Amino acid sequence: MAKAPVLTPQADDFPRWYQDLINKAELADNGPVRGTMVIRPYGYSLWERMQQELDARIKEAGASNAYFPLFIPQSYLTREAEHVEGFSPELAVVTHGGGKELEEPVVVRPTSETIINEYFSKWVQSYRDLPLLINQWANVVRWEMRPRVFLRTSEFLWQEGHTAHATYEDARAYAERILHRVYADFMVNVLGISVVPGRKTAKERFAGAINTLTLEGMMRDGKALQLGTSHELGQNFAKAFNTQYLAADGGREHVWQTSWGVSTRMVGGLIMSHGDDNGLRVPPRLAPVQAVVLAIKEDEAVVAKVREVGERLKAAGVRVVVDDRTDTPFGRRAVDWELKGVPVRVEIGPRDLQGGTAMLARRIAGGKEPARIDELPQTVTAVLAEDQELLLRQSREFREARTADVATLGEAAEAAATGWARIPWSEVGPEGEAKLAEQGVTVRCLVAEDGSVPDDDDTPGVLAVIGRAY
Amino acid sequence: MAKAPVLTPQADDFPRWYQDLINKAELADNGPVRGTMVIRPYGYSLWERMQQELDARIKEAGASNAYFPLFIPQSYLTREAEHVEGFSPELAVVTHGGGKELEEPVVVRPTSETIINEYFSKWVQSYRDLPLLINQWANVVRWEMRPRVFLRTSEFLWQEGHTAHATYEDARAYAERILHRVYADFMVNVLGISVVPGRKTAKERFAGAINTLTLEGMMRDGKALQLGTSHELGQNFAKAFNTQYLAADGGREHVWQTSWGVSTRMVGGLIMSHGDDNGLRVPPRLAPVQAVVLAIKEDEAVVAKVREVGERLKAAGVRVVVDDRTDTPFGRRAVDWELKGVPVRVEIGPRDLQGGTAMLARRIAGGKEPARIDELPQTVTAVLAEDQELLLRQSREFREARTADVATLGEAAEAAATGWARIPWSEVGPEGEAKLAEQGVTVRCLVAEDGSVPDDDDTPGVLAVIGRAY
C-alpha cells in the first residue's frame, strides 16, 4: 500500500500544496486580523538569512540603514497625486491615540516615500550632500482583500531603499545598480531563482514613479511572481516636498530619486520556485540549516559520533544542526527535515560506526549514498556547492521550457495557461494589455531581444513577457 | 577669546545638552506625528550594533526569532485585567482599513503578550514542547504625552522575548538568566554602563507580571534610567488564553511564562551615561566606527598613507573609516568625529610621514599622543581595550560616588536631588513609596545587601534604591 502523501501533490492542487507546506514545515500561521501573518521560527530564519545577504549587498552599494516613523500624517500622502491615488484603497488609518480622537488621522505607512522626502528636504542642502543613500528594514501595511500568506499580506516585512541624486543619469544608474548588483545577484546566486529582469509598462508602474524595473520569477505552476522592484521616481516627490539642492553652479535644482524594495513575499517565492511534493528545498547558500546530522537510534556511541560530526562540519563552515532526539522516531524526524528542505541529511546508526560510513541524503539532487565519516566535511561542502548550482539550473530550464515565443495576443493568452509568452511589445501595446487583463493575464515586463533591460518602451525589438501572476 | 562651545554644557542645562548632542551628532530627528522619531544613519548604526550583540546572546540563551502581527484585536487586550488597565491609556487604535470602517477596531501593539499567547496556546501541546523560547525584533507604539527622543517615544524599536515553561522554577530561572547573562552582560561589558540589577516593587511592576526584574543605570545628571526588564508572568496570561500542556503524569497544566525587553531607549542611556561637553563617547566594543583615520590636508602621499593605514587596521579587526575628505577643513571634521564619539582618531599630515608617526587622539581617555605608524594596529587595539575598561570604571565610580546610604525617607529624597539613595526597604514600604512619589522620587529597585537580586520584598536586609528617573 502506498504511503499517504505528506502534502497535497502540486499537480493536484498547487495553492493547497503551498498552504499545506507552510503549515507542516511550520513556516507561518494566519494572524487574527484579516490578512496578517505570524512568521514562525523556521520561516523567520529564512527571512533572517535573506536579510543578512541583502543587507551586506545594500551596504556594499553605499547605502546606510536608518528608521522613519510608522505613522505618516494623512496630508503627506496627498501631496503626490498619483501616489495617493495608488495607495488610498489600501490604507490603515489610526483615528485614536492615547484615549483621544486625533486632530489629524494618521496612516500606517504603506511605503515611506512621502515621510522620507519630508526629511530629505531638510538634510539635503548642496550638491555635496548627494547622493543621499538610505535604506530601512521595516514593516508596512497595505490592507489586503484577498490575502495569502507571504504573497499578499496586510502587513509585511521588507526593506525600502530611498535615494536622492544630483542628476537624472545618476538616479537611473543607481536604480539599475540595485536591480542587478543587489537584487538579481542575490536572487540568482543565493536564492537560486532564474529571475528575468525587465521594465514595467506604464500600467504596471509604481504609483509616483517614472520608471519601474522589476525581477520576475516563474513559479512551479507556471505563474509569475514579482520578486523585487527598483523605481526611478524622477523629480515627482522632490517637487511635491520641495527637495532641492544648491548646484555647483549656484542654481537650485530638485533632486532625482529612486526607491526600491523586496519583502517577505520572497519567502513565498522561494517555496513556489523550489518546493516539491515532499516539501521545501532550500538553496544551500541561503539555508539557515545546511546540514542536519541525525542519530538514527538511542546509542551512546552513535550520539557521541553525531555530535563529533556536527562539530567537524561546523568547523568546516557548514551551518549544521545535530538531531539526537532519539525519543522521537527516526522516520518522523527524517520527514520533518525533508519538509523543511534542509539540503543535506547525514544519518548515523550503530552499524554505520563499524564501517566508518554514514548515509548522506540529498534533499535537492535526491537519493541517498554512503559517505565516509572522516571525509564528511569535504563531501558535504562539495554536495552543497553542487546542489546550489543544480537548483538554479532547474529553475532556468523550467522557465525556458515553459516560455513560448508567440506572434499574436491569442497565442500569448493561451501560453499563459501553463507558463509565459514572449511577444513583440509592438503587437501588444496598451490596448492589447487591457484586453489581456480581462482574461487575468498581464504584461510582467518588457525585455530587449538580448535579454537586457530596454531603455524605454519604444526601443525597436522590445519584447513583452506575458503571464498570469501572483 | 574662548571658543564657543559646540554643545550647551551639561552643567548648564542637561536636557538641552542631550538634545543638542542628538541634533549635532546627527543621531535622530523628531517625527511629524507627535512623539515619533526619525533615527538617522549614525544613530541607527548604534542600534544595529546593539541588536547584533544582543541577538547573539539571545540565541545563545536558546531563543529563536519569530514575528507576530502589528495589529491586535482589541478584545485580546481585555482578557488579562491588569494588562489592559496598564496599557489602555497609551493605545493607538486603527478604526479604518482598506477604505472601510472595521467591524472590530484593532490596536497597534504596545507589547505582544496577548497575541503571542493566542499562538502559544495552539503550539504548546505537551511537556515535550516546553520550554518554548521566542524573541521578536519589532516596533511598538505607546502614545506618549511627554515625548523625548530615544527615552520616551510614541513608537520605539525593541526586542521582546516571550517564553513558556513547565514549572514556576523554570520560568523564574529563565527570567534571571536573561537579566544577568543577556542584558547585564551586554550593558556592563559592551555598553560600559555599571547597571544595578534589582527587583521592582509591586507598584512599579509590569502590568500582568508577578515579578519584574530590572537593570537601572545612573545617568550623568544623577537620574536613573531603566535600561531593561525581565518579567515573570506567572500563569496570568496562560490562564487568560488557556495555554496548557499535557504533563508527563497525564494531567493538564497551565504554562509558566516570562517576557523581557530592551529598546532604542538604550541609545538615550548610552548618550547620558558616557557623553561629555564635546559630544558622545562610544564604548569601543559597541562602536560602529572604532577608529577614524584622517588625512589632515590634501596631499597625494598623505591620502595614500591614510588609506593604507585604514586597510591595515581593518585587517587587524578594527572597525575603521578613512576620512580623506580634504575639501572639508580638518578642524570641522575632527569636531564632527568627536561629537560622534568615535573612540580613536588617527591624524596624519605631510610632516608625520617623514617621522613615521601619526597623532593618535583618544576620545575616551582624552589627549593626543604621537604613535608610530607601523605599530598602529597594535597601538589602536590596545587603546580600544583600555578605554573600554575606563568607561566602565568611570560609570561605576560615578554611580558609587553619587549613591548615599541613608536611614530616613527625608534623607532619601534629599539624596535624590543629585543621585541615588540606598535605604532599608522596611523603612520605606508602600506608604513611604507613595510619599516619595509625591516629590517625583521613585523606588528604582530592591537589592540585597550583597548586591544580588532578592527573592522577594520581605527578605531581611533588603535595600531600596531610590532616585529620580527618566
Side-chain angles (χ1 to χ4, degrees):
Chain A
M1 204 177 79
K3 241 184 359 179
V6 178
L7 307 173
T8 305
Q10 287 188 343
D12 291 1
D13 186 341
F14 195 83
R16 198 161 152 195
W17 164 84
Y18 178 76
Q19 195 54 59
D20 276 5
L21 193 158
I22 284 171
N23 295 341
K24 297 220 171 153
E26 300 185 341
L27 298 177
D29 273 358
N30 288 312
V33 173
R34 188 176 169 71
T36 61
M37 67 175 159
V38 175
I39 309 179
R40 300 186 67 173
Y42 187 60
Y44 198 82
S45 72
L46 296 170
W47 175 240
E48 274 184 306
R49 285 284 306 129
M50 292 181 184
Q51 287 188 298
Q52 286 165 7
E53 294 283 339
L54 283 162
D55 197 68
R57 285 169 176 77
I58 289 168
K59 284 174 175 152
E60 185 64 35
S64 301
N65 288 337
Y67 188 78
F68 292 81
L70 174 70
F71 292 151
I72 303 181
Q74 212 161 28
S75 59
Y76 281 26
L77 265 90
T78 58
R79 291 199 212 163
E80 213 291 327
E82 280 187 28
H83 191 69
V84 68
E85 196 186 314
F87 283 104
S88 278
E90 302 179 350
L91 297 178
V93 185
V94 176
T95 53
H96 292 72
K100 285 193 210 152
E101 187 164 355
L102 301 179
E103 285 177 26
E104 184 190 352
V106 301
V107 305
V108 182
R109 64 179 161 225
T111 179
S112 303
E113 278 76 7
T114 60
I115 195 163
I116 283 179
N117 259 280
E118 176 77 7
Y119 289 85
F120 276 19
S121 70
K122 292 176 192 170
W123 298 343
V124 173
Q125 301 296 328
S126 91
Y127 66 96
R128 288 168 195 262
D129 301 320
L130 299 175
L132 179 56
L133 311 173
I134 297 287
N135 179 57
Q136 110 172 335
W137 291 95
N139 54 345
V140 286
V141 170
R142 299 177 186 177
W143 212 263
E144 192 53 68
M145 292 304 155
R146 295 172 304 129
R148 192 180 290 183
V149 175
F150 289 124
L151 300 175
R152 273 195 313 273
T153 48
S154 293
E155 179 194 10
F156 55 88
L157 304 182
W158 78 345
Q159 63 67 221
E160 47 178 322
H162 297 271
T163 69
H165 305 261
T167 66
Y168 168 82
E169 289 76 18
D170 287 354
R172 180 174 196 115
Y174 200 78
E176 285 172 357
R177 176 176 179 168
I178 293 293
L179 188 83
H180 294 291
R181 286 164 62 184
V182 176
Y183 292 165
D185 180 67
F186 166 71
M187 291 172 193
V188 172
N189 296 318
V190 180
L191 294 188
I193 302 177
S194 176
V195 288
V196 169
R199 174 186 166 87
K200 287 287 185 190
T201 62
K203 181 175 181 291
E204 299 283 334
R205 217 174 262 158
F206 175 75
I210 61 170
N211 184 22
T212 288
L213 304 173
T214 182
L215 293 156
E216 303 283 326
M218 184 187 280
M219 304 297 104
R220 290 180 66 84
D221 60 352
K223 287 169 81 171
L225 183 72
Q226 175 183 305
L227 281 158
T229 47
S230 182
H231 315 292
E232 290 179 68
L233 303 178
Q235 296 178 310
N236 290 343
F237 290 90
K239 286 179 179 163
F241 286 83
N242 205 22
T243 312
Q244 290 187 312
Y245 71 97
L246 190 68
D249 68 7
R252 293 196 67 79
E253 308 277 353
H254 286 103
V255 297
W256 295 84
Q257 296 187 276
T258 78
S259 70
W260 28 280
V262 293
S263 74
T264 37
R265 162 173 261 218
M266 284 190 302
V267 179
L270 178 79
I271 297 168
M272 295 195 298
S273 293
H274 300 314
D276 65 19
D277 288 348
N278 296 318
L280 193 52
R281 298 189 304 163
V282 186
R285 275 198 207 129
L286 182 77
V289 182
Q290 296 177 307
V292 57
V293 188
L294 290 113
I296 293 182
K297 59 160 95 172
E298 180 62 55
D299 176 302
E300 212 173 299
V302 166
V303 169
K305 183 57 79 179
V306 294
R307 288 182 188 166
E308 181 206 312
V309 168
E311 286 305 318
R312 286 177 52 221
L313 287 177
K314 195 176 158 187
V318 177
R319 292 186 288 273
V320 66
V321 162
V322 169
D323 181 350
D324 53 10
R325 299 169 299 160
T326 46
D327 51 347
T328 303
F330 169 71
R332 213 173 106 191
R333 288 183 286 140
V335 166
D336 189 55
W337 291 115
E338 198 161 68
L339 268 167
K340 288 191 156 68
V342 171
V344 169
R345 294 199 312 276
V346 177
E347 304 173 349
I348 302 180
R351 265 183 309 182
D352 298 311
L353 290 187
Q354 296 159 21
T357 59
M359 285 308 287
L360 196 144
R362 293 172 66 165
R363 180 66 184 91
I364 293 162
K368 274 193 190 192
E369 57 205 44
R372 288 202 52 79
I373 290 179
D374 55 4
E375 291 169 3
L376 277 170
Q378 303 90 300
T379 312
V380 170
T381 307
V383 159
L384 292 173
E386 207 176 295
D387 289 354
Q388 178 77 33
E389 294 312 311
L390 177 61
L391 272 185
L392 177 61
R393 192 161 69 241
Q394 288 179 348
S395 168
R396 190 178 62 243
E397 287 172 359
F398 183 83
R399 175 176 58 73
E400 283 170 355
R402 293 248 197 155
T403 301
D405 283 299
V406 303
T408 69
L409 277 187
E411 289 167 345
E414 203 187 308
T418 54
W420 296 356
R422 246 186 327 242
I423 180 174
W425 170 238
S426 56
E427 292 298 314
V428 185
E431 303 84 46
E433 195 177 10
K435 216 175 276 177
L436 288 169
E438 289 166 17
Q439 305 165 67
V441 176
T442 49
V443 178
R444 303 314 309 151
C445 61
L446 304 177
V447 299
E449 277 168 305
D450 63 359
S452 67
V453 180
D455 283 337
D456 55 57
D457 302 5
D458 306 323
T459 308
V462 164
L463 299 171
V465 175
I466 283 170
R468 293 179 188 273
Y470 280 95
Chain B
M1 207 176 74
K3 241 187 354 181
V6 178
L7 307 172
T8 304
Q10 288 188 342
D12 290 3
D13 186 341
F14 195 83
R16 196 160 155 196
W17 164 84
Y18 178 76
Q19 195 54 59
D20 276 5
L21 193 160
I22 284 171
N23 294 340
K24 297 221 171 153
E26 300 184 342
L27 298 178
D29 273 357
N30 288 313
V33 173
R34 184 174 173 73
T36 62
M37 66 175 161
V38 175
I39 309 180
R40 300 185 68 174
Y42 187 61
Y44 198 82
S45 71
L46 296 170
W47 175 240
E48 275 184 308
R49 285 285 306 129
M50 292 181 185
Q51 288 188 299
Q52 286 164 8
E53 294 283 340
L54 283 163
D55 198 67
R57 285 169 177 77
I58 289 167
K59 285 175 174 151
E60 185 67 32
S64 301
N65 288 336
Y67 188 77
F68 292 80
L70 174 69
F71 293 151
I72 303 181
Q74 214 161 26
S75 59
Y76 281 24
L77 266 90
T78 58
R79 291 200 212 163
E80 213 292 328
E82 280 187 27
H83 191 69
V84 68
E85 195 187 314
F87 284 104
S88 278
E90 303 179 349
L91 297 177
V93 185
V94 176
T95 53
H96 292 72
K100 285 192 211 153
E101 187 163 355
L102 301 179
E103 285 176 27
E104 184 191 352
V106 300
V107 304
V108 182
R109 65 176 161 227
T111 179
S112 302
E113 277 77 6
T114 60
I115 194 163
I116 283 179
N117 259 281
E118 176 76 8
Y119 289 85
F120 275 20
S121 71
K122 291 176 194 170
W123 298 343
V124 173
Q125 301 296 329
S126 91
Y127 67 95
R128 287 167 195 263
D129 300 321
L130 299 175
L132 179 56
L133 311 173
I134 298 287
N135 178 60
Q136 110 171 335
W137 290 96
N139 54 345
V140 287
V141 170
R142 299 176 186 177
W143 213 263
E144 194 50 71
M145 292 304 154
R146 296 172 305 131
R148 192 181 290 182
V149 175
F150 289 123
L151 300 175
R152 271 195 315 273
T153 48
S154 294
E155 180 195 9
F156 55 88
L157 305 182
W158 77 345
Q159 62 66 221
E160 48 178 322
H162 297 270
T163 69
H165 306 261
T167 66
Y168 169 81
E169 289 74 19
D170 287 356
R172 182 174 193 114
Y174 200 78
E176 284 172 358
R177 177 177 178 167
I178 294 293
L179 188 83
H180 294 293
R181 286 162 65 183
V182 176
Y183 292 166
D185 181 67
F186 166 71
M187 290 172 193
V188 172
N189 297 317
V190 179
L191 293 188
I193 302 177
S194 177
V195 287
V196 169
R199 174 186 166 85
K200 286 287 186 191
T201 63
K203 180 174 183 288
E204 299 283 334
R205 219 173 261 158
F206 175 74
I210 62 168
N211 184 26
T212 288
L213 304 172
T214 182
L215 292 157
E216 303 283 325
M218 184 187 279
M219 305 295 105
R220 289 180 66 84
D221 61 352
K223 287 169 80 171
L225 184 72
Q226 175 184 304
L227 281 158
T229 47
S230 182
H231 315 292
E232 289 179 69
L233 302 177
Q235 296 179 310
N236 290 343
F237 290 90
K239 286 180 179 166
F241 286 83
N242 205 22
T243 312
Q244 290 187 310
Y245 72 96
L246 191 66
D249 67 8
R252 293 196 68 79
E253 308 277 355
H254 287 103
V255 297
W256 295 84
Q257 297 187 275
T258 78
S259 71
W260 27 279
V262 293
S263 74
T264 37
R265 162 173 262 220
M266 285 191 301
V267 179
L270 178 79
I271 297 169
M272 294 195 298
S273 292
H274 300 313
D276 66 19
D277 287 349
N278 296 319
L280 192 53
R281 298 188 304 163
V282 185
R285 277 199 206 128
L286 182 79
V289 183
Q290 297 177 308
V292 56
V293 188
L294 289 113
I296 293 182
K297 59 160 94 170
E298 179 63 56
D299 175 301
E300 213 172 299
V302 166
V303 169
K305 182 57 80 180
V306 295
R307 288 180 187 167
E308 180 207 313
V309 168
E311 287 305 318
R312 286 178 52 222
L313 288 177
K314 194 176 159 188
V318 176
R319 292 186 289 273
V320 66
V321 162
V322 169
D323 180 351
D324 53 10
R325 298 168 299 158
T326 46
D327 51 348
T328 303
F330 169 71
R332 214 173 105 190
R333 288 183 286 139
V335 165
D336 189 53
W337 291 115
E338 198 159 68
L339 268 168
K340 289 191 155 67
V342 170
V344 168
R345 294 198 312 275
V346 176
E347 305 173 350
I348 302 179
R351 264 184 306 182
D352 298 308
L353 291 187
Q354 295 159 21
T357 59
M359 285 309 285
L360 195 145
R362 292 171 67 164
R363 180 66 184 92
I364 293 162
K368 274 194 191 191
E369 56 206 44
R372 289 201 52 79
I373 290 179
D374 54 4
E375 291 169 3
L376 276 171
Q378 301 92 300
T379 311
V380 169
T381 306
V383 159
L384 291 174
E386 206 177 297
D387 290 352
Q388 178 77 33
E389 295 311 310
L390 177 61
L391 272 185
L392 177 61
R393 193 161 68 242
Q394 288 178 348
S395 169
R396 190 179 61 242
E397 288 172 357
F398 183 83
R399 176 175 56 73
E400 284 171 354
R402 294 248 197 155
T403 301
D405 282 299
V406 302
T408 69
L409 277 187
E411 288 168 346
E414 204 187 308
T418 53
W420 296 356
R422 243 184 331 238
I423 180 174
W425 171 237
S426 57
E427 292 297 314
V428 185
E431 304 83 51
E433 195 177 8
K435 215 175 274 177
L436 288 169
E438 288 167 18
Q439 305 164 64
V441 177
T442 49
V443 178
R444 302 313 309 149
C445 61
L446 304 177
V447 299
E449 278 169 304
D450 64 359
S452 67
V453 180
D455 282 338
D456 55 57
D457 301 6
D458 306 323
T459 308
V462 164
L463 299 171
V465 175
I466 283 170
R468 293 180 186 273
Y470 280 94

